[in-house]
Amino acid sequence: MVQRSSNAEVMSMDLSPKKPAKAYGSDGGAYYDWSPADLPMLGAASIGAAKLHLAAGGLALPSYSDSAKVSYVLQGAGACGLVLPEAAKEKVIPVKEGDALALPFGAVTWWHNAEGSSAELVVLFLGDTSKGHTPGRFTNFQLTGASGIFTGFSTEFVARAWDLDQDAAAKIVSTQPGSGVVKIAAGHKMPEPRAEDREGVVLNCLEAPLDVDIPGGGCVVVLNTANLPLVKEVGLGADLVRIGGRSMCSPGFSCDSAYQVTYIVRGGGRVQVVGIDGTRVLETRAEAGCLFIVPRFFVVSKIADDTGMEWFSIITTPNPIFSHLAGKTSVWKAISPAVLETAFNTTPEMEKLFRSKRLDSEIFFAPN
């Protein structure tokens, strides 16, 4: 059972956006992650966050995780090898910028950036660690390499498991000195990605139909069980939001007890978060590469810099519901005028002025 943080603990936590630290790497690339020690809300929300950077020819060795995840390709193109639990065949999925994949418990994956690639392949991982070994941090189990599972078994067990003689068993386990990320040998032929393997597994958020599109304001693509059924197994929803220069995202909150975990993909801007008793718990500038978490029921709003802002978020429920406090879908538009007058202790004229604004705007507001 997940241990909930008290109101006082959440209100006093440092919510400021953070960048990840390098966990391991080689000439083939590197794996970075965010630590609950630096971003305490990760532990409180039992959320893991990490990034994989693969250079040309880089290979993230086959592994599985203690957590269900959503992955999002931030940059580049390459291949993802995926073996779902109890599957008889590997999927070799061509991936590119904007692709989101749902990775359920037990999924074995490898990632590869082609030898001749002109750009790094960069993949973001966000997921639920509530059933994992360390709340707020992924634990990945490598199948091969210096830290691979079979390096821990005796030669006798490996030989019996794979039906090899003792010498062959010892050799195959010890010949990969790399750990986690390696670079393939020049000219080594990797499996060809298959376009048909994307079906039902990948949604490209840059090409998918927009769920919200406000000219001059912003747009949203929501990842849920309707457009990517595997999301149900992962238990997470996600969205990609892009807002124009100096546009504002309406103050709002998740009304189904979910946390919002946000990674800034491009651009930057100002962020404010208001918590219990109307206390502003965060006022900062977020920039590309940073991650921050909004506690359950806290209200968040963002205003982009001149160049705009793009972010990818997961929400800790597969079909999230949000309530906005400004715009034509605002809860204020539904509340009776007499109640508003009393609630704000204002005149009928001021209440009418308040209600008359943002009649056509939804959740993004372009600059005046």
Side-chain angles (χ1 to χ4, degrees), residues 5-13 276:
S5 298
S6 69
N7 289 346
E9 287 173 328
V10 172
M11 290 290 289
S12 64
M13 281 183 185
I276 299 166

Short mmCIF file of all heavy atoms in Angstrom, two decimals, residues 5-13 276:
data_model
loop_
_atom_site.label_atom_id
_atom_site.label_comp_id
_atom_site.label_asym_id
_atom_site.label_seq_id
_atom_site.Cartn_x
_atom_site.Cartn_y
_atom_site.Cartn_z
N SER A 5 1.81 11.10 1.80
CA SER A 5 2.44 12.18 2.56
C SER A 5 1.35 13.04 3.19
O SER A 5 0.26 13.20 2.63
CB SER A 5 3.31 13.03 1.64
OG SER A 5 4.34 12.26 1.08
N SER A 6 1.64 13.62 4.35
CA SER A 6 0.67 14.49 5.00
C SER A 6 0.57 15.81 4.24
O SER A 6 1.44 16.17 3.45
CB SER A 6 1.11 14.76 6.45
OG SER A 6 2.27 15.57 6.46
N ASN A 7 -0.51 16.56 4.52
CA ASN A 7 -0.68 17.86 3.89
C ASN A 7 0.51 18.77 4.17
O ASN A 7 1.01 19.47 3.28
CB ASN A 7 -1.96 18.53 4.40
CG ASN A 7 -3.21 17.85 3.88
OD1 ASN A 7 -3.14 17.05 2.95
ND2 ASN A 7 -4.35 18.15 4.48
N ALA A 8 0.96 18.76 5.40
CA ALA A 8 2.08 19.63 5.79
C ALA A 8 3.34 19.25 5.02
O ALA A 8 4.11 20.11 4.59
CB ALA A 8 2.32 19.54 7.29
N GLU A 9 3.57 17.94 4.86
CA GLU A 9 4.77 17.48 4.14
C GLU A 9 4.73 17.93 2.68
O GLU A 9 5.71 18.40 2.13
CB GLU A 9 4.88 15.96 4.23
CG GLU A 9 5.29 15.45 5.60
CD GLU A 9 5.23 13.94 5.70
OE1 GLU A 9 4.37 13.33 5.04
OE2 GLU A 9 6.04 13.38 6.45
N VAL A 10 3.56 17.76 2.05
CA VAL A 10 3.43 18.13 0.64
C VAL A 10 3.60 19.64 0.47
O VAL A 10 4.28 20.12 -0.44
CB VAL A 10 2.08 17.67 0.06
CG1 VAL A 10 1.85 18.22 -1.34
CG2 VAL A 10 2.01 16.16 0.03
N MET A 11 2.97 20.41 1.37
CA MET A 11 3.04 21.87 1.27
C MET A 11 4.46 22.40 1.46
O MET A 11 4.80 23.47 0.97
CB MET A 11 2.09 22.51 2.28
CG MET A 11 0.61 22.32 1.96
SD MET A 11 0.10 23.27 0.51
CE MET A 11 0.14 24.94 1.16
N SER A 12 5.29 21.65 2.18
CA SER A 12 6.64 22.13 2.45
C SER A 12 7.68 21.57 1.48
O SER A 12 8.85 21.94 1.54
CB SER A 12 7.04 21.75 3.89
OG SER A 12 7.10 20.35 4.04
N MET A 13 7.27 20.70 0.58
CA MET A 13 8.22 20.09 -0.35
C MET A 13 8.69 21.09 -1.40
O MET A 13 7.96 21.99 -1.79
CB MET A 13 7.58 18.89 -1.06
CG MET A 13 7.53 17.63 -0.24
SD MET A 13 6.85 16.26 -1.18
CE MET A 13 6.80 14.99 0.10
N ILE A 276 -3.05 24.07 -0.75
CA ILE A 276 -4.03 24.13 0.33
C ILE A 276 -4.06 25.53 0.94
O ILE A 276 -3.03 26.20 1.08
CB ILE A 276 -3.69 23.06 1.40
CG1 ILE A 276 -3.73 21.66 0.76
CG2 ILE A 276 -4.65 23.13 2.57
CD1 ILE A 276 -3.08 20.59 1.61
#
